Amino acid sequence: MNTKVKLKEVYEVKQQYKAFYTGGTIVWKPDAQQFLCLNNGTISIVSVDNLHEPVALGEQETDGEIAEDVIYTFAVSNTGNSIVSGHRSGLLKLWDGEKHTVQKMWKTVHQGPISRLVFSPTDSVIASGGSDSTIRLWDPTEQVCLGTLRGAEGLINVIVFHPDADSKIVVAVGDDTKIRAWDYESRKQVKTFEGHFSRVTGVSFSEDRTHLVSAGRDKILILWNFESQQAVKTIPVYETLESVVVLPAGLRVGGIKLKKGKVYAACGGEEGLIKVWEMTGAKIIFKQSNSLVAKAAEEGGLAITHLFYSEPHGRMAVVSADHNILVHDCESFDYVHQLSGFSDEILDLILFGKRDQHIAMATNSSDFKVYDVSTMNCRLVKGHTDIVLSLCANDRYLLSSSKDNSIRLWSFTEEPFTISCVAIGLKHTNTVGCVTLSRQGGNFCASVSQDRCLKTWKIPKKFTTEEDGELPRLQCSLTALAHEKDINCVTISPNDRLIATASQDKTAKLWDASDLSVVGVFRGHTRGIWAVRFSPVDQILLTNAADCTIKLWSLEDMTCLKTLEGHDSSVLRVEFLTNGMQLLSAGADGLVKLWSIKTSDCVQTLDKHDNRVWALCVTRDESMFYSGGSDSQLIQWQDVTESKRQQELDQRKDTLLQEQELSNLLSERKLLKALRLSLNLDRPLSTLKIVNEVIRTKEQGLEDTVRKLSNDHKERLLRHAIEWNTNSKNCRPAQLALNVLLQETLAGRFQVSELNKHLEASLPYTERHFKRLTEYVKDLKFVEYSLRCMQPHAARMD
């Protein structure tokens, strides 16, 4: 091994990427630069370009504890300057949109939770809909209820103000099939629209305000005449709809210009596609062809949950049931931004690109996600039909495997980033749990499956698309029935000659890559083996298992060289570091550990994950690594060993200089200046000597010096004094220091944490000193009394 290589000692968190949208209310701000998302009872404000850390409003609710006042729903004003939130406690809170502080709060009189909040077009009124079937109107400046609208049935699902501020009309929908409109000044119901057969999910006004478009779970779109309350056109769309938006005339959607005088409605639902209908002609003028939203698994299920249109920017945003936010440019209908609000369980991570510029993430989804490391902008990659389990990459290709029994080979380009599937492998008969690419030529790959087979696949230099448009098939070159139980991992050696597999049957096996003949079997683990890795420099194989151990094996004689123990739960993933001299391990206990192979010691334990850590990936220069797991967190760790070493050297240098200065001050008899420096160095013995010297020489100014000390220095002096107080020899300087510090505390110039604890520690010793000194004084008085009694007799004797 190369002894010149510097071992890593300290990793620190550089960035944590958590969920920012977990379902429920979501709002696109009027400036189209930010989304406000409901996130476990809080509001997360996330930038569209995803460059900045999300800002959180409210109290976070976790599995361990329930926050007192979580947010159920919220709304943003039309100017974007105010946010109103409805809480579990029944409070409404008005937030400043820029400073993110609560300006006002007031109690609602809804019986039960608030389900909807909406600002009026002028932001002068807030409407709140509750589970008590009522809509209440509020003045946000005075926090008073302007009125209550009754008539709806069940939970209020939709509230829409009439776009014209002068009309004073609000439209709302409950759990029934009717759309109702009220005049909110007179609080009278003025219109009722009956035509749907199931719950209405979306309502939108036309540009000329004479028509209304509604969508529902009954798979129909209805165009209403707002004045006559009659259905002008009822269109069967053959899919459950969740949202509808009327688009303005003159807009170009997918290259098609919307004509004046007609009503165009964009809608989205269970098919996961955006369709634009010309309502009067009842025909689709545009149907999305590049959707990344998966169709709902069952009839009536969710795919698209929200649809937004930003008129100033000509963009449309789609929110999927998987909590992904996709922003389209309307004219070309290409994706402008993709944001992943919630990643669920992170199953695998892989860095790829020339400078590790991209990170691919497999989650509990049939799509995997590719992030640009510098901006963390997301890109969803669609292709598999079931959950993606494993990823692998080299300089040319990315390989993925899935529960759909297939593997897919993807080709990518760097700038601009594009990725496309170039081939598919379909020979496995069960879930494909792991894949790997050859290290040198990149001309073959290997896969393992729950069908207990190990397969190698040939990767040709060029791919030609089939005539019928189907993807080319990868040619399976070799197959072996490898293990007795499910195979968890496969990896190829750095020279492409050997393949290693790890299985639930507690064994790891070594295979010849040319003919898949067994080279060796590694037995020793008492539970299933999760992963296997080749050392980058030595003839060593590494295995980690559910028996909480990591084992290093010799490839020459198949013997176990070392066993590393330290995790309290299954070791799920291990990677080599520092030319094979160190290891990074991740466990089901949520811990990531850094190991030194030479000493078999755990150098550092990183505890930031709340659950199992399934995935680790290290950058090529090993300056950083990423970890992900069941807690949906992606954490970026940075190697700070050198900076820590430098920091320690600088600190030691400063300490030596201060010690020299302290020595100089003491030799120059500058006791009070030396006191401050001694406290700065936290030296109880030096401080004691200085205070004793002050007492001996009767030097004035100790109280003034203590008074000028900082709060931290005073606290240190207090700790030192309590320590001195335990010894009767040092009781005088201790009591002197305690006296001065307690006077400072009473005067309010010294705030000390855990004062009671400090006093309790000093009281028994102080009482003992007081008792001893009292006895001493008594003895002195007795001696003095005896002398006085003896003096007359002494004079008589003279």
Side-chain angles (χ1 to χ4, degrees):
M1 291 185 182
N2 188 355
T3 54
K4 292 182 181 178
V5 175
K6 291 185 178 178
L7 298 180
K8 290 160 181 59
E9 295 173 6
V10 187
Y11 276 99
E12 285 183 355
V13 174
K14 186 181 180 183
Q15 195 75 45
Q16 280 180 276
Y17 302 101
K18 300 181 181 180
F20 59 80
Y21 177 53
T22 54
T25 309
I26 181 168
V27 175
W28 200 8
K29 282 189 80 173
D31 61 5
Q33 297 302 308
Q34 292 176 322
F35 282 98
L36 280 80
C37 317
L38 201 60
N39 178 20
N40 285 330
T42 64
I43 301 170
S44 287
I45 304 174
V46 62
S47 172
V48 170
D49 56 20
N50 210 15
L51 289 170
H52 309 291
E53 186 82 13
V55 177
L57 307 181
E59 299 177 34
Q60 185 76 35
E61 183 169 22
T62 61
D63 295 335
E65 57 182 77
I66 298 173
E68 289 295 320
D69 206 17
V70 297
I71 296 169
Y72 283 150
T73 187
F74 64 91
V76 179
S77 64
N78 294 286
T79 59
N81 296 329
S82 298
I83 303 162
V84 65
S85 56
H87 296 252
R88 176 187 280 160
S89 60
L91 287 174
L92 285 179
K93 293 184 182 179
L94 193 67
W95 304 75
D96 185 299
E98 297 297 324
K99 298 177 182 175
H100 307 138
T101 54
V102 177
Q103 292 178 312
K104 297 169 183 175
M105 66 173 78
W106 65 96
K107 186 82 175 173
T108 67
V109 284
H110 281 286
Q111 300 298 314
I114 300 166
S115 57
R116 285 287 179 272
L117 286 166
V118 181
F119 277 90
S120 68
T122 58
D123 294 337
S124 58
V125 177
I126 297 172
S128 64
S131 57
D132 57 359
S133 308
T134 64
I135 298 140
R136 298 186 188 274
L137 301 152
W138 306 90
D139 182 341
T141 55
E142 300 296 331
Q143 302 97 58
V144 293
C145 183
L146 302 174
T148 303
L149 310 179
R150 304 180 192 276
E153 295 178 18
L155 182 77
I156 304 298
N157 293 303
V158 179
I159 302 175
V160 179
F161 278 93
H162 194 287
D164 293 336
D166 299 335
S167 67
K168 308 296 182 188
I169 297 288
V170 64
V171 176
V173 179
D175 274 338
D176 59 348
T177 59
K178 296 177 184 177
I179 303 167
R180 296 176 173 86
W182 290 264
D183 184 315
Y184 60 81
E185 281 197 336
S186 64
R187 298 190 291 282
K188 290 181 181 178
Q189 186 175 322
V190 292
K191 296 180 190 296
T192 304
F193 302 86
E194 297 184 44
H196 283 281
F197 305 104
S198 187
R199 191 173 125 186
V200 179
T201 54
V203 173
S204 184
F205 278 90
S206 65
E207 237 186 330
D208 58 7
R209 319 303 189 218
T210 58
H211 291 91
L212 194 71
V213 178
S214 63
R217 296 269 174 90
D218 51 6
K219 305 184 180 182
I220 58 172
L221 271 175
I222 300 179
L223 177 67
W224 304 89
N225 184 302
F226 187 68
E227 292 303 319
S228 66
Q229 305 167 51
Q230 298 297 313
V232 178
K233 192 65 96 174
T234 301
I235 305 171
V237 294
Y238 307 107
E239 65 166 324
T240 301
L241 296 179
E242 285 298 315
S243 189
V244 64
V245 177
V246 172
L247 301 176
L251 178 71
R252 296 185 75 88
V253 180
I256 300 162
K257 190 174 181 179
L258 307 186
K259 298 174 183 175
K260 289 185 178 180
K262 294 185 178 180
V263 179
Y264 297 91
C267 60
E270 68 175 297
E271 284 189 14
L273 304 172
I274 297 173
K275 297 173 186 174
V276 179
W277 290 82
E278 196 272 284
M279 295 300 295
T280 48
K283 60 183 178 182
I284 298 175
I285 64 152
F286 173 78
K287 184 177 180 180
Q288 188 181 4
S289 59
N290 61 343
S291 176
L292 294 173
V293 182
K295 187 179 178 180
E298 55 190 31
E299 189 177 349
L302 295 177
I304 292 174
T305 57
H306 297 82
L307 196 59
F308 302 103
Y309 171 65
S310 172
E311 190 166 352
H313 296 79
R315 290 180 176 178
M316 200 176 292
V318 176
V319 183
S320 73
D322 293 334
H323 313 305
N324 296 319
I325 305 164
L326 309 166
V327 181
H328 299 264
D329 177 71
C330 286
E331 185 164 354
S332 62
F333 230 77
D334 291 335
Y335 289 99
V336 182
H337 298 288
Q338 299 177 31
L339 291 84
S340 178
F342 179 63
S343 291
D344 206 354
E345 198 162 359
I346 298 172
L347 303 176
D348 202 5
L349 293 169
I350 188 75
L351 283 158
F352 65 100
K354 289 178 182 176
R355 297 179 302 280
D356 290 331
Q357 193 176 347
H358 302 283
I359 185 167
M361 180 195 297
T363 63
N364 262 356
S365 170
S366 56
D367 310 330
F368 64 89
K369 295 161 186 171
V370 176
Y371 292 88
D372 186 314
V373 171
S374 57
T375 63
M376 288 312 285
N377 281 333
C378 177
R379 186 185 180 102
L380 295 170
V381 183
K382 200 174 182 63
H384 286 285
T385 56
D386 209 336
I387 293 172
V388 177
L389 296 174
S390 176
L391 298 166
C392 186
N394 59 20
D395 292 336
R396 291 179 61 204
Y397 297 115
L398 189 145
L399 188 65
S400 63
S401 71
S402 165
K403 280 188 174 182
D404 61 10
N405 306 353
S406 73
I407 66 170
R408 283 178 178 259
L409 191 70
W410 307 79
S411 174
F412 62 87
T413 58
E414 296 268 356
E415 294 177 2
F417 179 76
T418 59
I419 186 166
S420 58
C421 188
V422 292
I424 184 169
L426 296 170
K427 294 290 184 179
H428 282 288
T429 59
N430 209 327
T431 298
V432 186
C434 189
V435 286
T436 183
L437 281 159
S438 60
R439 305 286 184 90
Q440 290 185 334
N443 55 0
F444 77 98
C445 61
S447 62
V448 291
S449 166
Q450 285 183 9
D451 61 13
R452 298 176 292 158
C453 286
L454 163 65
K455 291 181 184 289
T456 59
W457 309 77
K458 188 179 178 182
I459 300 175
K461 290 182 179 179
K462 287 186 179 180
F463 291 95
T464 54
T465 310
E466 303 289 332
E467 291 181 4
D468 54 3
E470 284 193 8
L471 287 168
R473 299 290 175 87
L474 284 173
Q475 184 184 346
C476 179
S477 50
L478 295 166
T479 300
L481 188 61
H483 288 269
E484 295 173 6
K485 291 185 179 178
D486 293 355
I487 309 173
N488 292 326
C489 185
V490 62
T491 188
I492 297 172
S493 64
N495 61 5
D496 288 352
R497 292 181 181 177
L498 298 171
I499 298 173
T501 56
S503 168
Q504 285 296 109
D505 64 7
K506 308 173 192 174
T507 67
K509 290 186 179 180
L510 201 61
W511 309 81
D512 189 315
S514 60
D515 57 1
L516 287 192
S517 58
V518 178
V519 177
V521 181
F522 303 91
R523 293 186 176 90
H525 284 289
T526 57
R527 296 282 181 90
I529 302 173
W530 280 111
V532 62
R533 288 287 182 269
F534 286 99
S535 170
V537 291
D538 294 321
Q539 297 289 308
I540 289 174
L541 188 76
L542 176 149
T543 57
N544 55 274
D547 59 8
C548 312
T549 64
I550 303 164
K551 289 182 183 287
L552 296 166
W553 309 82
S554 169
L555 293 179
E556 293 178 356
D557 54 10
M558 313 299 164
T559 56
C560 182
L561 302 173
K562 276 194 178 183
T563 300
L564 306 179
E565 296 179 355
H567 283 279
D568 296 328
S569 301
S570 299
V571 187
L572 303 175
R573 189 74 172 259
V574 182
E575 297 290 345
F576 277 100
L577 278 179
T578 328
N579 282 357
M581 296 167 69
Q582 288 183 290
L583 299 175
L584 267 177
S585 66
D589 49 10
L591 301 177
V592 178
K593 289 180 181 283
L594 177 65
W595 302 82
S596 169
I597 293 177
K598 187 177 180 180
T599 61
S600 302
D601 291 335
C602 176
V603 179
Q604 189 188 14
T605 299
L606 307 169
D607 183 10
K608 283 291 180 183
H609 285 282
D610 304 324
N611 212 325
R612 290 184 295 273
V613 182
W614 287 112
L616 290 174
C617 63
V618 186
T619 57
R620 295 181 198 191
D621 60 4
E622 298 183 352
S623 61
M624 280 184 285
F625 76 90
Y626 294 82
S627 61
S630 299
D631 59 358
S632 308
Q633 282 193 88
L634 173 68
I635 301 181
Q636 183 184 17
W637 304 86
Q638 187 172 20
D639 177 22
V640 292
T641 306
E642 284 302 314
S643 61
K644 286 284 181 185
R645 282 177 186 159
Q646 190 60 46
Q647 196 175 330
E648 284 174 11
L649 285 171
D650 293 343
Q651 198 171 347
R652 199 176 303 163
K653 187 178 175 182
D654 289 344
T655 304
L656 287 170
L657 288 170
Q658 287 181 348
E659 283 177 349
Q660 184 60 51
E661 189 181 347
L662 177 62
S663 178
N664 294 341
L665 288 170
L666 288 171
S667 63
E668 293 169 12
R669 312 289 297 165
K670 294 179 180 177
L671 299 175
L672 297 177
K673 281 187 177 180
L675 176 66
R676 190 189 299 270
L677 198 54
S678 179
L679 288 169
N680 198 43
L681 290 166
D682 202 9
R683 299 288 167 83
L685 187 59
S686 297
T687 311
L688 176 62
K689 286 178 180 176
I690 292 165
V691 175
N692 273 327
E693 192 65 22
V694 168
I695 293 168
R696 192 180 67 80
T697 57
K698 298 180 181 180
E699 188 171 333
Q700 299 296 314
L702 180 65
E703 288 188 22
D704 290 336
T705 303
V706 172
R707 194 171 290 127
K708 290 173 184 175
L709 292 174
S710 67
N711 207 74
D712 288 343
H713 284 163
K714 286 178 183 176
E715 199 159 340
R716 280 183 192 172
L717 182 59
L718 178 63
R719 287 202 310 270
H720 292 178
I722 289 166
E723 191 178 326
W724 306 335
N725 200 41
T726 58
N727 192 327
S728 59
K729 288 192 298 183
N730 304 324
C731 68
R732 189 178 177 190
Q735 291 299 319
L736 178 63
L738 285 170
N739 180 41
V740 175
L741 290 169
L742 287 173
Q743 285 179 9
E744 288 293 291
T745 306
L746 291 170
R749 292 188 291 268
F750 176 34
Q751 286 81 36
V752 57
S753 57
E754 299 179 331
L755 180 62
N756 291 343
K757 185 180 173 183
H758 290 304
L759 291 175
E760 282 173 14
S762 63
L763 274 173
Y765 293 101
T766 303
E767 286 173 359
R768 193 183 301 170
H769 299 325
F770 181 74
K771 188 176 179 182
R772 181 173 49 77
L773 288 169
T774 305
E775 293 296 323
Y776 182 61
V777 170
K778 278 183 185 177
D779 291 344
L780 281 174
K781 291 292 181 185
F782 180 72
V783 171
E784 190 180 335
Y785 171 75
S786 300
L787 284 170
R788 283 181 182 175
C789 289
M790 289 167 67
Q791 272 176 356
H793 299 290
R796 201 176 301 156
M797 285 176 70
D798 290 341

